[in-house]
Structure formats: C-alpha cells, structure tokens
Amino acid sequence: MLTDYHMHLRPDDPGTEPEQYFTPENVDRYLKAAGEAGIEELGVSEHVHRFRQSLGIWDHPFWLQSAQDDLDGYAEFVRETPLRLGIEMDYVAGREDRIANLLEAYEFDYVIGSVHFVRDSAVDYDVWDIWEQVGDPDRVWELYFSTLAEAARSGLFDVLAHPDLVKVWGSGRPQPERDRRFYYERAVEAIGESGIAVEVSTAGLRKPVGEIYPSREFAEMCVDAGAAFSLSSDAHVPEHIGFAYDQALEAMHEWDIGEVAVFEGRERRLEPLGRTGAPASAEPAG
Ligand SMILES: [Zn+2]
Ligand SMILES: [Zn+2]
C-alpha cells in the first residue's frame, strides 16, 4: 500500500480561490497522478488557516490575512470526491480546547498536526522568522522540538507532519551546536507515549535543506520507540503527488519501516508498505 495523505489542492499563494481549485476537474488531475504513481490511498489536508473558522482558534496576523474560505464548503466538496477528508491543523499551545472543538465539528478521516509556529514566530516562513526573533539556534531547536512534543502529547492529531521542519532552510540559517539527537529525544519520548503516527514527507527534498523529513537519526529513534509512520508528498500541485517516493521507500526500507498507516474516520490501521510505480495488489504474494 502507498498513501499520499498530506497534500493540498492548491498552492499557498494568495488568489488561489476555492472556486478555481476545489473542482472535480482539479481532483481528477490529482487522482490521475496518484494512479500513475501506484498510490491507492489519496487524501487532502488543506491548511486550517485558509478557513475563516480557524480564527476561533488563533488570531495571528498571518492567519487573519489568510483565513478567507469556508471550512464547511471544503468538507462538503471533498465528501463528493473519492478523496479521504483530512486537514492540516497547526498546533497552537494553550488553544487545545478550541482546536478540539473545531475538529469535533467535522467528520475527518485524519488530522495532520503541524508545528509551523513556535509562539508567534515561524520556522518555515521568513516574514515571521524565528531565528531573527530568538537568535540562538540551539534555543530555536529546543523550542521547536519541545513544541513538537507538546503537539504529540496533546492527543489532538493522528499524524505528526514534517517532524523536523526546523531544518527546512538548511545552511540558510545558523545550525545548532549540540548533537541533534539531544533535541529529537524529547519529541521521540512524546511520540512513543502518545502513539501518534510520524510522517515521512518528501517535501523536504523540494526545500533548501534537500532532505526527507525526518532525518535518518530521528526516524530510527522513532522506530525504536515503536512509532507508526505515514507517507506523504505535501504536494500543492498534481505534479508533486508521490514526489520522490522511490527515495522515500528506499529510506524507509533502510530505517526498517515495513508498514504504513492508513486512516478512515480517524481510525488507523497498518498496511504493508508498497512499492512505487505499481499498486500493491499487483505485487507477487510473499
Ligand atoms: Zn505544513
Ligand atoms: Zn502541508
């Protein structure tokens, strides 16, 4: 089985209206790309902050400017397609009850939890750059991974997105001095205790860092902690569905990950990890 659950039907840029992208024709483009890549489980996880309903959770200026669309309309549209219904929900510390209330109002198949912001600063958005706000890169990594641990422990999410997103800029930001495993450790403990699935995301290969999320060391620590894994591209265009899955599958094999998480109605099951380019059902048995 191959999945692509963390994907978006449109780019993040302003002016990408639902009328233009939440259409059967656009979904067909994604389904066709998934079919060609041998991906059997395809789901969409739009950013919560693109929807007006998110303003009941947080009023960060970035959310105020991006929260334009109607979440009810999105959920209703996706239900009329073969796609699984997901959402990419930011973890906002201290707003757990508000997040839970929003999630309960919709029948999602899965909820992907993301840490893009730590307090008011962003790890992957240079307008709110956390290195400018915090300075010391070791402090940045400590803040990021302790927030990731809180997100895992919150119990709000099925999947932890791009788990070492803090590396996104690669050498474009100052690097921490301490061994990275020191920072991974606190998140891995929370991942093990919470049972949340860890996302293997090929999006990092398209970013300055040029690496899969998570790093090998982080992934192996998660394996040792007994974590489950999901597999996604974080595509924002159909061409990126199943992006670089051959690399991801090779890495997962090396990390001793043999199963992938599959979701329906927020219930998880594990399926044997498939191979790229062909549906798992077409593989020889054994
Ligand atoms: Zn994200
Ligand atoms: Zn995303």
Side-chain angles (χ1 to χ4, degrees):
M1 170 78 77
L2 292 179
T3 65
D4 203 341
Y5 283 139
H6 185 160
M7 71 87 163
H8 305 263
L9 289 171
R10 53 185 175 171
D12 288 338
D13 313 313
T16 47
E17 310 294 339
E19 298 73 31
Q20 196 185 345
Y21 290 92
F22 298 171
T23 66
E25 295 73 25
N26 192 37
V27 169
D28 281 347
R29 285 191 276 273
Y30 281 76
L31 289 167
K32 185 165 175 278
E36 285 165 4
I39 292 163
E40 290 147 281
E41 279 278 322
L42 189 66
V44 54
S45 57
E46 286 299 317
H47 287 289
V48 70
H49 56 75
R50 303 278 318 248
F51 302 106
R52 291 189 293 276
Q53 286 85 344
S54 71
L55 297 179
I57 297 172
W58 205 26
D59 59 354
H60 190 283
F62 172 61
W63 283 34
L64 285 169
Q65 86 191 25
S66 71
Q68 305 284 337
D69 305 331
D70 178 31
L71 185 52
D72 294 5
Y74 162 68
E76 281 160 25
F77 168 71
V78 175
R79 278 296 173 228
E80 290 165 8
T81 74
L83 301 175
R84 296 269 182 231
L85 175 60
I87 190 152
E88 180 170 9
M89 172 64 74
D90 287 69
Y91 175 66
V92 184
R95 302 293 166 92
E96 290 83 353
D97 288 351
R98 298 181 191 195
I99 295 171
N101 286 340
L102 184 143
L103 294 178
E104 275 164 22
Y106 298 89
E107 294 189 343
F108 292 115
D109 286 310
Y110 56 87
V111 175
I112 299 180
S114 292
V115 175
H116 301 109
F117 281 86
V118 175
R119 299 175 190 158
D120 284 341
S121 339
V123 295
D124 65 339
Y125 188 24
D126 52 9
V127 177
W128 303 91
D129 192 273
I130 190 169
W131 286 268
E132 258 173 48
Q133 313 274 338
V134 172
D136 177 14
D138 281 277
R139 181 74 182 133
V140 170
W141 278 56
E142 185 184 333
L143 285 169
Y144 172 77
F145 281 101
S146 56
T147 306
L148 192 73
E150 277 179 58
R153 279 212 176 87
S154 72
L156 291 164
F157 313 118
D158 303 303
V159 178
L160 205 51
H162 36 60
D164 54 352
L165 182 67
V166 70
K167 73 181 178 186
V168 61
W169 302 104
S171 58
R173 291 292 184 281
Q175 300 297 305
E177 304 225 329
R178 276 191 107 127
D179 188 318
R180 292 175 185 208
R181 281 169 293 194
F182 171 81
Y183 300 109
Y184 301 153
E185 216 154 67
R186 67 183 64 202
V188 169
E189 197 181 294
I191 288 164
E193 284 172 21
S194 66
I196 194 169
V198 176
E199 179 178 85
V200 175
S201 169
T202 57
L205 292 166
R206 306 191 300 268
K207 298 291 160 67
V209 68
E211 275 178 23
I212 287 172
Y213 306 112
S215 68
R216 179 177 58 81
E217 290 88 351
F218 192 3
E220 287 176 348
M221 288 167 74
C222 292
V223 169
D224 289 344
F229 292 84
S230 70
L231 172 61
S232 290
S233 67
D234 208 344
H236 287 66
V237 290
E239 294 73 33
H240 285 161
I241 288 294
F243 179 83
Y245 268 22
D246 47 350
Q247 281 188 62
L249 293 169
E250 198 183 316
M252 290 169 88
H253 181 72
E254 279 172 22
W255 303 337
D256 223 7
I257 300 169
E259 291 178 318
V260 68
V262 175
F263 296 95
E264 188 176 355
R266 304 208 63 185
E267 295 283 327
R268 179 175 89 194
R269 67 177 201 274
L270 295 175
E271 291 278 344
L273 188 60
R275 290 180 212 164
T276 190
S281 57
E283 288 179 21

